[in-house]
Amino acid sequence: MKKVVFFVILIYHITSLNAQIVRYSPAWFGPNANPVPEFTDATIVAKTNVQLMADYYFGFGDQTVNGYFKIDIPLLPERVSFKIWSTIFEHYKVTDAVNVSRGMNGNLTGKTNGDFYVQTRISLLKEDVKKPAIILNSTLKTASGTKFRERRYFDTPGYYFDVEIGKSFFLNKQFINEIRLVADLGFLCWETSGSRQNDAPIYGLKLILGNQKFKWENTISGYYGWMHTHPAYGSDYGDVPLVYATKLIFKTDKLDYFAQYQYGINDFPYHQIRIGTSFNIDKLTPHYK
């Protein structure tokens, strides 16, 4: 009996040790596993909005192509909304070197689908001439993404809370007649293994220039996990991603078109190119008498 108990304990510790070797961080997983949270222009939609996108991630030994969708439903127009998004139809290919460094246990190429994110957005302060807009976001991430053994998605859930603060400044009779500044601050948490959590403050700044026909967004954002500071995990744990993105949006009466380039400055070893479109669906917008 003692031998059986010893054997069970030994297997448990070996399994736990192996689980801890897996670095639950964006530096050692696919680009959609735990990316830097995106934030908006600090506004809430008036009508149900749908965004359809295609992403191409490349460089550093990992090529990933995927679809991406977002649906934003105003429960109270410009006051409260419910938002859901996910990656779909992901195709990936990695090099032998990436396979070894990530400790993958599967194919170097494959297909998968991602986690779902569910978010509630609440306007805390409405913008006017003197006051900025303030919006509180509460977001849950599922563990529905597949191919953990191939290091595409975590097998654990997560959540984050953040506050967006935005203010516009208008210029008269200029090609660029609006300058909008947005700041984002929050807290991100995700499970790793052995019921351990990695906690990280999240942050971001966005500058938007434009007019009624186009907008140009420039964003720098990231989060700062704690595990890389712990000697048990090592300084190369990779949980301090920082990214820069530039995005052009062209607006028409019915559709908006956009293109984005994103560069991983730290702990996010990817270049990203995104193209997409967004449109409103009035029939899916809740109406209140």
Side-chain angles (χ1 to χ4, degrees):
M1 183 63 183
K2 291 183 178 180
K3 291 182 178 181
V4 173
V5 173
F6 174 77
F7 180 75
V8 170
I9 293 175
L10 180 63
I11 293 298
Y12 171 78
H13 282 289
I14 291 175
T15 303
S16 299
L17 180 61
N18 182 64
Q20 288 304 319
I21 292 174
V22 177
R23 289 168 283 198
Y24 284 76
S25 66
W28 302 101
F29 271 74
N32 298 304
N34 204 46
V36 175
E38 297 178 357
F39 62 100
T40 73
D41 59 355
T43 62
I44 293 179
V45 295
K47 296 182 179 181
T48 295
N49 181 262
V50 177
Q51 295 185 44
L52 302 176
M53 293 154 274
D55 293 336
Y56 174 47
Y57 293 92
F58 61 97
F60 310 98
D62 187 324
Q63 293 186 16
T64 301
V65 179
N66 61 263
Y68 197 80
F69 76 87
K70 290 185 179 182
I71 301 175
D72 198 356
I73 303 172
L75 303 180
L76 291 174
E78 300 181 340
R79 288 293 187 181
V80 180
S81 75
F82 174 80
K83 193 172 186 178
I84 185 169
W85 67 89
S86 180
T87 53
I88 53 175
F89 309 127
E90 179 181 306
H91 296 247
Y92 63 90
K93 180 180 180 181
V94 302
T95 62
D96 288 326
V98 169
N99 172 49
V100 173
S101 66
R102 292 180 180 176
M104 293 170 54
N105 187 10
N107 297 323
L108 302 185
T109 64
K111 303 176 182 178
T112 183
N113 286 306
D115 300 312
F116 280 86
Y117 290 77
V118 179
Q119 183 180 79
T120 300
R121 311 189 69 226
I122 301 173
S123 173
L124 301 181
L125 185 66
K126 191 171 180 62
E127 183 176 358
D128 61 19
V129 176
K130 295 182 178 181
K131 296 180 295 186
I134 301 179
I135 293 173
L136 173 65
N137 301 315
S138 175
T139 311
L140 296 176
K141 180 184 83 71
T142 69
S144 56
T146 57
K147 299 292 181 73
F148 168 74
R149 289 159 59 90
E150 288 82 2
R151 305 297 183 253
R152 302 314 300 175
Y153 292 91
F154 297 173
D155 58 351
T156 59
Y159 64 87
Y160 65 89
F161 301 94
D162 67 303
V163 174
E164 298 174 12
I165 304 172
K167 186 77 175 71
S168 286
F169 303 90
F170 297 95
L171 306 174
N172 294 326
K173 298 179 181 180
Q174 300 289 333
F175 174 66
I176 294 176
N177 59 25
E178 181 183 3
I179 300 174
R180 186 167 182 82
L181 300 175
V182 184
D184 186 63
L185 293 171
F187 173 79
L188 171 68
C189 178
W190 69 98
E191 287 190 30
T192 60
S193 57
S195 297
R196 287 180 172 85
Q197 290 186 166
N198 200 341
D199 309 313
I202 57 179
Y203 56 90
L205 290 173
K206 188 189 298 284
L207 171 65
I208 306 173
L209 307 174
N211 55 35
Q212 289 74 23
K213 295 296 183 180
F214 88 97
K215 291 187 182 297
W216 179 29
E217 296 185 359
N218 288 275
T219 306
I220 188 165
S221 56
Y223 61 82
Y224 193 90
W226 66 267
M227 283 190 163
H228 72 283
T229 65
H230 197 288
Y233 305 109
S235 59
D236 65 343
Y237 194 82
D239 57 352
V240 191
L242 177 66
V243 298
Y244 165 75
T246 183
K247 180 179 181 181
L248 276 175
I249 306 169
F250 299 96
K251 306 173 75 66
T252 67
D253 292 339
K254 294 184 178 181
L255 294 173
D256 291 350
Y257 302 93
F258 53 86
Q260 174 178 291
Y261 168 73
Q262 179 180 272
Y263 173 68
I265 299 172
N266 187 65
D267 281 352
F268 192 78
Y270 299 96
H271 301 275
Q272 179 214 47
I273 294 175
R274 167 176 288 179
I275 58 173
T277 184
S278 67
F279 51 91
N280 296 327
I281 303 179
D282 189 59
K283 291 183 178 179
L284 295 182
T285 302
H287 294 280
Y288 303 96
K289 295 182 178 180

